[in-house]
Amino acid sequence: MKKNKLTLKDVAQQLGVSTATISNAFNRPDQLSASRRQEILTACERIGYHGPNKAAQILRKGHSNIVALVLADSIEYIVSDPVASTLIKGVSSVLQAHGKHLLLYAGDAQSIRDVVDFVDGFICYGAPRNVQLAEEINQQDKPVVTVDFNLPGRPAINIDNQQAAYDIARKALNKDDKVAILGLRLIDAPTTCRIYDSPLFEEDRSISHRRLDGYLRAIEEAGLTISNDWIWHIPESGGKYSRQAAQEVLNSAPRPTTILCMSDIIALEVLQCALSMGIKVPQELKITGFDGIDEAARTRPYLTTVCQSSVDKGKAAAQLLLAGDTNSQQLPYVLKKGETC
Amino acid sequence: MKKNKLTLKDVAQQLGVSTATISNAFNRPDQLSASRRQEILTACERIGYHGPNKAAQILRKGHSNIVALVLADSIEYIVSDPVASTLIKGVSSVLQAHGKHLLLYAGDAQSIRDVVDFVDGFICYGAPRNVQLAEEINQQDKPVVTVDFNLPGRPAINIDNQQAAYDIARKALNKDDKVAILGLRLIDAPTTCRIYDSPLFEEDRSISHRRLDGYLRAIEEAGLTISNDWIWHIPESGGKYSRQAAQEVLNSAPRPTTILCMSDIIALEVLQCALSMGIKVPQELKITGFDGIDEAARTRPYLTTVCQSSVDKGKAAAQLLLAGDTNSQQLPYVLKKGETC
DNA sequence: CTGTTAGCGCCTTCAT
DNA sequence: ATGAAGGCGCTAACAG
């Protein structure tokens, strides 16, 4: 039983009409009467023709209904990061509502060319580690929307990271506090470490640096100081890195009384580590997170954190892209008072 | 500054060679001398031609290097489920290593037709809620691999859910235990509830029912009994449903001494709920999970659970698909003794 | 090793 | 409302 794919031409011949009529029946309802159209559609269904071949349509029409979501890191990382996967959720819900498809793209600069010819546009999440990728994406002329970073001349979705970091730090800090910061990707190093005087990584584009600015401003306004020895760099939230940082900071003397963490995952590690060391939270140690992930709300004590809606960021990005809007958008955030400070 | 896309033909003309030569330089290195090829490639680079148009290649060659990952539920759900997102991780790592791309597909039966023409194959995770989708996928003739369920005539990736459930339950149960089961999708209902005598949902294909079989066998062998009043149905792990179930079961009299949960997320909710009620775990209450997600290891006390590697499942599925292998594969699992039983 | 040519399957004027 | 025809950009087979 051979299953030779029917082509539009075959069908036209079988039904004794022209190819244009079949094509119109599927793509341009206004070009023929409703009844005629219905007649043709059911005839097609009967003989097993499910509509024009998409590959040919993509070539012919020049668009595919596929949107690429470009991830800063490998898909491997992104998917295990709650914030990123929640973003995907938002993006996909909007795309789905518009009949678009989602290509999850995580590649090097080279291979962006694999998809640029048929994809309808790009949503980019997080500044690529790889500068060349960003350039490559920016040079092609399909629409682009960025999330959590900026690309010259392209619309971006962000929250005000600086202000959010400032707000939560201000809430946490009292005079006489000894404060430490657990930062994400502050310098260009593959391991957990204090930043000391290492040059800051991607300083202008990175949201981590906006957050750092906010923390530092709050620290200064609270009349406190912090030296670079008390600022940690963590290469990525997941895996062992956060735990290492948590242990280092909690075993440092004098032990900080407040730890500002740039992600909830980091904060949760600090929390667990502190509890198992018998440190009382928040009496002896205050902890703040960043992001507002579900897990932070499942855990006791509840984390004090900055809630930003990654779903909304994803939706906004997809909507911007589909609408062809070129205006950046700043989304709101909410401080969430938990039990950790 | 107009940016008219260069075509292969344009380039051939500009360089004064035939189109075939250009095409070969990019696609079939063996068809011309290395030096000639290099010469052409650099010339192309110089004039800004990055290689043959992919949309045209897809039509011409009949494949796209795109693999669709078909999700049982909407992308929205799957991505927030740790098990599912970890699977994506495995799939994507293998695809990436082979230069393939990942289309995240979550649609209804209808729209599978949107992609079937250009996608190279399908990996399906979890039985679709929607029976028609499964049929539609099975009827087309591109390769398919399923994970955590079966499609007639297609290779599948699974663990032995029945045996795994049996093993962990056997470990947890003692005589005189009063046992409850928190199940996932046992019946066709949108709310958390006891199953009583509702007809079981998709009994043959569902992994939940394999797990249930394993639990029941262990219960029987331990000389215990359980009635359907003590088996809960939870429509999905995430969101409020697990919490509702946790509260219901812990507030039932007589309170169970052992609760077998079909996912770690469910088990974690039970654990949090129990702790906040002042119930001692495992002295007064034993809890088992299923899956072995990261979060379960970040939480104290550590969950006793069945660890299965979703990453490996994803990898295996992708490898099977790319290799064109049609043999199903059963992956190993490991019992993890935690502090909850 | 290079050049020519016939489609891959469709959409869209244009003329009828 | 229909039929004919020219591409979309490329590849593979074949001939040189």
Side-chain angles (χ1 to χ4, degrees), chain B residues 8 27 57 60:
Chain B
L8 187 147
N27 303 311
Q57 276 189 325
R60 182 62 235 245

PDB file of all heavy atoms in Angstrom, chain B residues 8 27 57 60, chain D residues 9-12:
ATOM      1  N   LEU B   8      21.513  31.910  -5.138  1.00  0.00           N
ATOM      2  CA  LEU B   8      22.625  31.106  -5.609  1.00  0.00           C
ATOM      3  C   LEU B   8      22.949  31.443  -7.066  1.00  0.00           C
ATOM      4  O   LEU B   8      24.118  31.513  -7.462  1.00  0.00           O
ATOM      5  CB  LEU B   8      22.242  29.633  -5.466  1.00  0.00           C
ATOM      6  CG  LEU B   8      23.285  28.571  -5.739  1.00  0.00           C
ATOM      7  CD1 LEU B   8      23.053  27.373  -4.843  1.00  0.00           C
ATOM      8  CD2 LEU B   8      23.202  28.139  -7.189  1.00  0.00           C
ATOM      9  N   ASN B  27      27.239  22.045  -0.339  1.00  0.00           N
ATOM     10  CA  ASN B  27      26.600  20.797   0.090  1.00  0.00           C
ATOM     11  C   ASN B  27      27.371  19.517  -0.164  1.00  0.00           C
ATOM     12  O   ASN B  27      27.116  18.516   0.478  1.00  0.00           O
ATOM     13  CB  ASN B  27      25.254  20.640  -0.611  1.00  0.00           C
ATOM     14  CG  ASN B  27      24.345  21.808  -0.368  1.00  0.00           C
ATOM     15  OD1 ASN B  27      24.166  22.219   0.763  1.00  0.00           O
ATOM     16  ND2 ASN B  27      23.779  22.350  -1.429  1.00  0.00           N
ATOM     17  N   GLN B  57      15.703  24.728   0.158  1.00  0.00           N
ATOM     18  CA  GLN B  57      16.296  23.412   0.411  1.00  0.00           C
ATOM     19  C   GLN B  57      15.272  22.448   0.991  1.00  0.00           C
ATOM     20  O   GLN B  57      15.238  21.274   0.642  1.00  0.00           O
ATOM     21  CB  GLN B  57      17.461  23.538   1.385  1.00  0.00           C
ATOM     22  CG  GLN B  57      18.761  23.929   0.714  1.00  0.00           C
ATOM     23  CD  GLN B  57      19.938  23.839   1.663  1.00  0.00           C
ATOM     24  OE1 GLN B  57      19.806  24.117   2.852  1.00  0.00           O
ATOM     25  NE2 GLN B  57      21.089  23.454   1.140  1.00  0.00           N
ATOM     26  N   ARG B  60      13.079  21.328  -1.776  1.00  0.00           N
ATOM     27  CA  ARG B  60      13.800  20.506  -2.739  1.00  0.00           C
ATOM     28  C   ARG B  60      14.234  19.157  -2.156  1.00  0.00           C
ATOM     29  O   ARG B  60      14.043  18.107  -2.739  1.00  0.00           O
ATOM     30  CB  ARG B  60      15.014  21.298  -3.211  1.00  0.00           C
ATOM     31  CG  ARG B  60      15.870  20.634  -4.264  1.00  0.00           C
ATOM     32  CD  ARG B  60      15.053  20.417  -5.518  1.00  0.00           C
ATOM     33  NE  ARG B  60      15.101  19.022  -5.893  1.00  0.00           N
ATOM     34  CZ  ARG B  60      15.656  18.553  -7.000  1.00  0.00           C
ATOM     35  NH1 ARG B  60      16.160  19.393  -7.879  1.00  0.00           N
ATOM     36  NH2 ARG B  60      15.680  17.285  -7.244  1.00  0.00           N
TER      37      ARG B  60
ATOM     38  P    DG D   9      13.854  34.074  -4.367  1.00  0.00           P
ATOM     39  OP1  DG D   9      14.092  34.919  -3.190  1.00  0.00           O
ATOM     40  OP2  DG D   9      14.025  34.612  -5.725  1.00  0.00           O
ATOM     41  O5'  DG D   9      14.758  32.779  -4.241  1.00  0.00           O
ATOM     42  C5'  DG D   9      14.804  32.072  -3.010  1.00  0.00           C
ATOM     43  C4'  DG D   9      15.487  30.748  -3.248  1.00  0.00           C
ATOM     44  O4'  DG D   9      14.695  29.948  -4.128  1.00  0.00           O
ATOM     45  C3'  DG D   9      16.860  30.849  -3.908  1.00  0.00           C
ATOM     46  O3'  DG D   9      17.821  30.395  -2.970  1.00  0.00           O
ATOM     47  C2'  DG D   9      16.772  29.963  -5.138  1.00  0.00           C
ATOM     48  C1'  DG D   9      15.553  29.104  -4.842  1.00  0.00           C
ATOM     49  N9   DG D   9      14.821  28.694  -6.023  1.00  0.00           N
ATOM     50  C8   DG D   9      14.581  29.415  -7.164  1.00  0.00           C
ATOM     51  N7   DG D   9      13.871  28.770  -8.042  1.00  0.00           N
ATOM     52  C5   DG D   9      13.620  27.540  -7.449  1.00  0.00           C
ATOM     53  C6   DG D   9      12.889  26.421  -7.942  1.00  0.00           C
ATOM     54  O6   DG D   9      12.299  26.306  -9.009  1.00  0.00           O
ATOM     55  N1   DG D   9      12.876  25.386  -7.019  1.00  0.00           N
ATOM     56  C2   DG D   9      13.490  25.413  -5.789  1.00  0.00           C
ATOM     57  N2   DG D   9      13.365  24.336  -5.031  1.00  0.00           N
ATOM     58  N3   DG D   9      14.172  26.452  -5.326  1.00  0.00           N
ATOM     59  C4   DG D   9      14.199  27.474  -6.200  1.00  0.00           C
ATOM     60  P    DC D  10      19.251  29.896  -3.375  1.00  0.00           P
ATOM     61  OP1  DC D  10      20.096  29.943  -2.175  1.00  0.00           O
ATOM     62  OP2  DC D  10      19.657  30.563  -4.612  1.00  0.00           O
ATOM     63  O5'  DC D  10      18.989  28.359  -3.670  1.00  0.00           O
ATOM     64  C5'  DC D  10      18.534  27.553  -2.595  1.00  0.00           C
ATOM     65  C4'  DC D  10      18.152  26.189  -3.085  1.00  0.00           C
ATOM     66  O4'  DC D  10      17.325  26.324  -4.235  1.00  0.00           O
ATOM     67  C3'  DC D  10      19.330  25.321  -3.514  1.00  0.00           C
ATOM     68  O3'  DC D  10      19.554  24.334  -2.527  1.00  0.00           O
ATOM     69  C2'  DC D  10      18.903  24.699  -4.825  1.00  0.00           C
ATOM     70  C1'  DC D  10      17.476  25.177  -5.029  1.00  0.00           C
ATOM     71  N1   DC D  10      17.183  25.573  -6.416  1.00  0.00           N
ATOM     72  C2   DC D  10      16.474  24.696  -7.250  1.00  0.00           C
ATOM     73  O2   DC D  10      16.144  23.585  -6.818  1.00  0.00           O
ATOM     74  N3   DC D  10      16.176  25.074  -8.512  1.00  0.00           N
ATOM     75  C4   DC D  10      16.546  26.282  -8.944  1.00  0.00           C
ATOM     76  N4   DC D  10      16.213  26.634 -10.190  1.00  0.00           N
ATOM     77  C5   DC D  10      17.273  27.199  -8.119  1.00  0.00           C
ATOM     78  C6   DC D  10      17.571  26.803  -6.873  1.00  0.00           C
ATOM     79  P    DT D  11      20.892  23.514  -2.585  1.00  0.00           P
ATOM     80  OP1  DT D  11      21.187  23.110  -1.217  1.00  0.00           O
ATOM     81  OP2  DT D  11      21.869  24.253  -3.406  1.00  0.00           O
ATOM     82  O5'  DT D  11      20.433  22.223  -3.408  1.00  0.00           O
ATOM     83  C5'  DT D  11      19.343  21.474  -2.899  1.00  0.00           C
ATOM     84  C4'  DT D  11      19.057  20.319  -3.834  1.00  0.00           C
ATOM     85  O4'  DT D  11      18.614  20.810  -5.124  1.00  0.00           O
ATOM     86  C3'  DT D  11      20.233  19.402  -4.109  1.00  0.00           C
ATOM     87  O3'  DT D  11      19.691  18.088  -4.098  1.00  0.00           O
ATOM     88  C2'  DT D  11      20.700  19.807  -5.513  1.00  0.00           C
ATOM     89  C1'  DT D  11      19.373  20.208  -6.150  1.00  0.00           C
ATOM     90  N1   DT D  11      19.392  21.209  -7.238  1.00  0.00           N
ATOM     91  C2   DT D  11      18.643  20.955  -8.360  1.00  0.00           C
ATOM     92  O2   DT D  11      17.987  19.938  -8.501  1.00  0.00           O
ATOM     93  N3   DT D  11      18.673  21.948  -9.302  1.00  0.00           N
ATOM     94  C4   DT D  11      19.365  23.149  -9.243  1.00  0.00           C
ATOM     95  O4   DT D  11      19.302  23.961 -10.156  1.00  0.00           O
ATOM     96  C5   DT D  11      20.135  23.348  -8.047  1.00  0.00           C
ATOM     97  C7   DT D  11      20.917  24.609  -7.881  1.00  0.00           C
ATOM     98  C6   DT D  11      20.121  22.385  -7.109  1.00  0.00           C
ATOM     99  P    DA D  12      20.572  16.846  -3.797  1.00  0.00           P
ATOM    100  OP1  DA D  12      19.923  16.119  -2.706  1.00  0.00           O
ATOM    101  OP2  DA D  12      21.985  17.245  -3.722  1.00  0.00           O
ATOM    102  O5'  DA D  12      20.341  16.007  -5.122  1.00  0.00           O
ATOM    103  C5'  DA D  12      18.993  15.771  -5.526  1.00  0.00           C
ATOM    104  C4'  DA D  12      19.007  15.208  -6.919  1.00  0.00           C
ATOM    105  O4'  DA D  12      19.193  16.279  -7.872  1.00  0.00           O
ATOM    106  C3'  DA D  12      20.127  14.209  -7.182  1.00  0.00           C
ATOM    107  O3'  DA D  12      19.586  13.215  -8.026  1.00  0.00           O
ATOM    108  C2'  DA D  12      21.194  15.041  -7.871  1.00  0.00           C
ATOM    109  C1'  DA D  12      20.342  16.027  -8.669  1.00  0.00           C
ATOM    110  N9   DA D  12      20.958  17.324  -8.907  1.00  0.00           N
ATOM    111  C8   DA D  12      21.903  17.962  -8.152  1.00  0.00           C
ATOM    112  N7   DA D  12      22.247  19.151  -8.609  1.00  0.00           N
ATOM    113  C5   DA D  12      21.471  19.296  -9.744  1.00  0.00           C
ATOM    114  C6   DA D  12      21.356  20.328 -10.691  1.00  0.00           C
ATOM    115  N6   DA D  12      22.059  21.466 -10.614  1.00  0.00           N
ATOM    116  N1   DA D  12      20.492  20.150 -11.706  1.00  0.00           N
ATOM    117  C2   DA D  12      19.785  19.012 -11.761  1.00  0.00           C
ATOM    118  N3   DA D  12      19.798  17.965 -10.936  1.00  0.00           N
ATOM    119  C4   DA D  12      20.674  18.173  -9.941  1.00  0.00           C
TER     120       DA D  12
END
